[in-house]
Amino acid sequence: MGIAVNAQKFLEVNTLDDLNSVNLDQKILILGGGSNILFGGDFNGLVLKINILGKQIVKEDDHHVWIKFGAGENWHESVLYAVENNYGGIENMSLIPGTVGAAPIQNIGAYGVELKDVFHQVDGIMLDDLQRFSLNTEACNFGYRDSIFKNELKSKIIITHVTLRLTKQHQINATYGAISDVLKSKNIIEPTIKDISDAVIEIRQSKLPDPKELGNAGSFFKNPTISNPHFRELKMAYPECPGYPQPNDRTKVPAGWLIEQCGWKGKRVGETGAHAKQALVLVNYGNATGQEILNLSKQIQDSVYVKFGIKIEREVTLL
Ligand code: EPU
């Protein structure tokens, strides 16, 4: 979010050997790209910035290729590498900020695809005894912006590598309305994976601010899921309210819509505000503090609750 904070200690980890002389029995933050974190203040402990690099094809057959990425690899560059080699599966997740190692933690997702759809294995070490471990898809308990790494294994491990299973005979996923609109506008009838990646980049650049230019952490809140009777009530009062059917008689409602209805879209409060093109994205106009952004986020949560009776949860990690 572009907030100026200090860490008591900071170490870049290029190989696991860098950890040999480190006391791991202290307050530690494992950092990827830092793109989904809001610091409420300085970090009173040791920050380990994971820079383990590398990518290697570890297995291949006629249909798939398994690529093992170092956790410190930049996510978008890894997507571009896949696209250039015509490996399919992650093109819908183009331009997501952050590192490959951070991707499984919140099961990143965009435009109809989630990391879990292409995930094969994570390798890492336990912080308490430095033992190595590997987890497959099932063991990671992936959910919507959720995984075992945000729950049982929170603050207990370092992810060192992530292996993805990408397709050679890919199936394009252009179901998301905004993607098919871009393809239509360009008269692309049989899109390649590069066409999809280019479309996603265009969509993201048109409404999501670039964190290098305007501090932000992407979606600040998760999209809430409400019961179908609650959604029907909402539809009576607001017939234009969008909703996406979910299992178990529930509906997902876009938090961006709820926030916009509460009048926050494009509204600036001091050095922070809700982005003018996407109300779900809170931005730092330059000198915001974490507390200021946190306060705004609480006001937004309260107003959505008062108007709609819906609680929206933070998606960013607060420290
Ligand atoms: N909308 C509004 N006003 C707004 C923003 C959104 O009315 O200011 C409504 C519109 O109806 C729009 C709908 O919300 O059609 C959905 O908006 P959008 O397609 O922008 O997606 P989103 O639900 O706001 C989610 C993810 C994004 C991901 C996009 C595309 C979450 C929390 N966010 O956003 O992920 O890029 O879908 O798949 O699920 C992120 O996690 O940081 C992130 C950017």
Side-chain angles (χ1 to χ4, degrees), residues 36 92 96-97 106 108-113 144-145 176 178 203-204 207-208 217-223 240 242 244 252-261 265 275-281 315:
N36 204 48
N92 294 48
I96 295 182
Q106 64 153 342
I108 60 169
Y111 307 104
V113 177
Y144 167 53
R145 298 295 189 273
Y176 206 90
I203 298 162
R204 289 187 76 101
K207 57 180 177 180
L208 294 171
S219 302
F220 198 92
F221 303 100
K222 290 190 207 180
N223 288 326
E240 72 291 357
Y244 314 111
K252 191 180 264 186
V253 182
W257 185 86
L258 298 169
I259 296 168
E260 180 174 348
Q261 295 304 306
K265 192 170 184 172
H275 190 53
K277 293 183 187 154
Q278 223 308 359
L280 193 52
V281 177
E315 196 250 57

Side-chain angles (χ1 to χ4, degrees), residues 10 16 34 52 56 81 95 101 111 115 120 146 258 313-314:
F10 185 92
L16 286 181
I52 298 169
Q56 191 193 354
Y81 161 81
L95 217 59
Y111 307 104
L115 185 82
H120 176 66
D146 201 20
L258 298 169
E313 271 177 50
R314 252 195 323 270

